[in-house]
């Protein structure tokens, strides 16, 4: 067994932990330490702060997940002051080996390795995810992440995608009007404009405009709170459309990937776990015309692991150096 550092770097926070890996798998994941990126001038300085906080030298191997594409010599993230140069990581962080993955690629590794006890059933047949074939992963959060995992002969392969940027698929008159309204604001209305944290504001404002009602909720956090409580009628209607659209987009991605299982992830996936099951998600997921029967046979789960990014970054290292 080997200890490694595992890191999940987002736009606002960087989460660190010590993980133990063996034979290509994550064995243990210690309690995470969360640092604000803006309070540390670089990843290297945050790395040192983590070492001081746990009062021990850090291992010389690491799994690192970053919220941006990992291609190129310089990685830059939105709302994050750090500049990450992959070629310099060994020197700057005193590492012998590391695995660097996109943040949603890390979620893919987590889906492939976590125990089935972290998979809450959402809809479809109540069976485990397949051990052979493709699993689509859809993750609404600050944006809309999408990836797929191919399981074959005891191994797995994670494929990061930009599926969240597919066109938004309106499926009734209300959504036709929402699309028409949003086209005046955006040159192109992608699924991410609807199925993401900021997407709820787009839905709320479009519905209010259609109904001729004033927009009273400008703060996105307050909007989400009121929508989930049902204390504001327009916000609640926006959340209903959010769940319907998440079902439609998840079904589209499953079709495109040839998936035999689907996992809902992302910060909003877990937050909405108690709502999605009684929303119109399931009906929209299977509503694919001639493929409805096939879609109804796909198990859909919600990943409930508290730190899938950290677990997945460690899993990426374990898989790469097994």
């Amino acid at each position: 067994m080997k200890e490694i550092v595992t890191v999940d770097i987002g736009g606002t926070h960087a989460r660190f932990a010590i993980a133990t890996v063996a034979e290509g798998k994550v064995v243990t994941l210690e309690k995470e330490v969360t640092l604000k990126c803006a309070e540390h001038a670089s990843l290297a300085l945050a790395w040192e702060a983590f070492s001081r906080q746990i009062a021990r030298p850090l291992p010389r191997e690491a799994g690192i997940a970053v919220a941006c594409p990992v291609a190129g010599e310089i990685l830059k993230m939105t709302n994050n002051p750090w500049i990450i140069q992959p070629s310099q990581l060994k020197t700057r962080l005193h590492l012998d080996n590391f695995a660097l993955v996109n943040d949603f690629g890390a979620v893919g590794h987590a889906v492939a390795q976590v125990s089935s006890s972290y998979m809450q059933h959402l809809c479809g047949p109540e069976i485990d995810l397949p051990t052979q074939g493709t699993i689509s992963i859809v993750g609404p959060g600050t944006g809309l992440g999408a990836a797929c995992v191919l399981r074959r002969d005891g191994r797995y392969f994670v494929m990061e995608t930009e599926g969240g940027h597919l066109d938004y698929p309106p499926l009734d008159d209300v959504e036709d009007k929402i699309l028409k309204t949003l086209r005046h604001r955006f040159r192109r209305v992608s699924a991410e404009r609807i199925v993401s944290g900021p997407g709820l504001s787009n839905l709320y404002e479009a519905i209010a405009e259609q109904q001729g009602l004033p927009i009273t909720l400008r703060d996105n956090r307050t909007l989400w709170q009121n929508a989930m409580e049902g204390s504001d009628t327009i916000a609640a209607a926006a959340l209903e459309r959010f769940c319907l659209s998440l079902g439609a987009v998840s079904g589209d991605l499953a079709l495109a990937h040839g998936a035999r299982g689907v996992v809902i992830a992302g910060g909003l996936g877990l937050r909405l776990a108690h709502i999605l099951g009684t929303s119109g998600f399931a009906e929209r997921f299977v509503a694919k015309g001639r493929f409805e029967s096939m879609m109804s046979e796909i198990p859909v789960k919600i990943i409930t692991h508290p730190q899938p990014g950290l677990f997945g970054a460690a899993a990426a290292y374990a898989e790469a150096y097994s």
Side-chain angles (χ1 to χ4, degrees), residues 134-154:
T134 302
I135 301 167
S136 292
I137 308 165
V138 186
T142 303
L144 179 61
C148 55
V149 173
L150 173 63
R151 284 176 164 168
R152 179 173 292 166
D153 301 328

Side-chain angles (χ1 to χ4, degrees), residues 1-3 20-23 27-28:
M1 291 199 296
K2 177 185 294 185
E3 279 193 336
T20 303
V21 300
E23 299 179 350
V27 180
T28 62

Side-chain angles (χ1 to χ4, degrees), residues 65-132:
V66 293
C68 66
V70 295
E73 290 299 314
I74 298 177
L75 309 185
K76 294 183 179 180
M77 292 169 286
T78 305
N79 300 321
N80 187 321
W82 298 349
I83 295 175
I84 297 175
Q85 296 174 275
S87 63
Q88 299 297 312
L89 286 177
K90 284 188 176 182
T91 301
R92 301 279 173 81
L93 305 181
H94 309 291
L95 295 173
D96 295 326
N97 291 305
F98 68 91
L100 180 66
V101 292
N102 166 268
D103 60 336
F104 215 73
V107 174
H109 283 277
V111 166
Q113 289 206 23
V114 296
S115 162
S116 60
S117 64
Y118 287 113
M119 292 294 171
Q120 177 180 318
H121 182 69
L122 176 54
C123 63
E126 199 161 345
I127 58 176
D128 287 342
L129 293 170
T131 57
Q132 295 283 335

Side-chain angles (χ1 to χ4, degrees), residues 204-288:
Y204 169 79
E205 292 170 11
I207 292 171
E209 182 177 323
Q210 289 174 24
Q211 300 294 315
L213 296 171
I215 296 171
T216 58
L217 297 173
R218 301 285 183 179
D219 176 68
N220 194 251
R221 179 173 294 186
T222 303
L223 172 62
W224 271 100
Q225 181 178 342
N226 288 13
M228 296 185 72
E229 293 172 351
S231 57
D232 181 277
T233 307
I234 308 174
L239 183 57
E240 288 175 4
R241 288 290 156 182
F242 181 99
C243 294
L244 289 170
S245 297
L246 177 58
V249 170
S250 299
D252 285 347
L253 287 169
L255 271 178
H257 295 160
R260 299 174 62 188
V262 171
V263 174
I264 304 301
L268 292 174
L270 186 56
R271 187 177 179 187
L272 293 171
H274 67 292
I275 293 175
L276 288 175
T278 55
S279 70
F281 176 98
E283 289 76 12
R284 281 289 185 88
F285 179 82
V286 301
K288 304 302 174 188

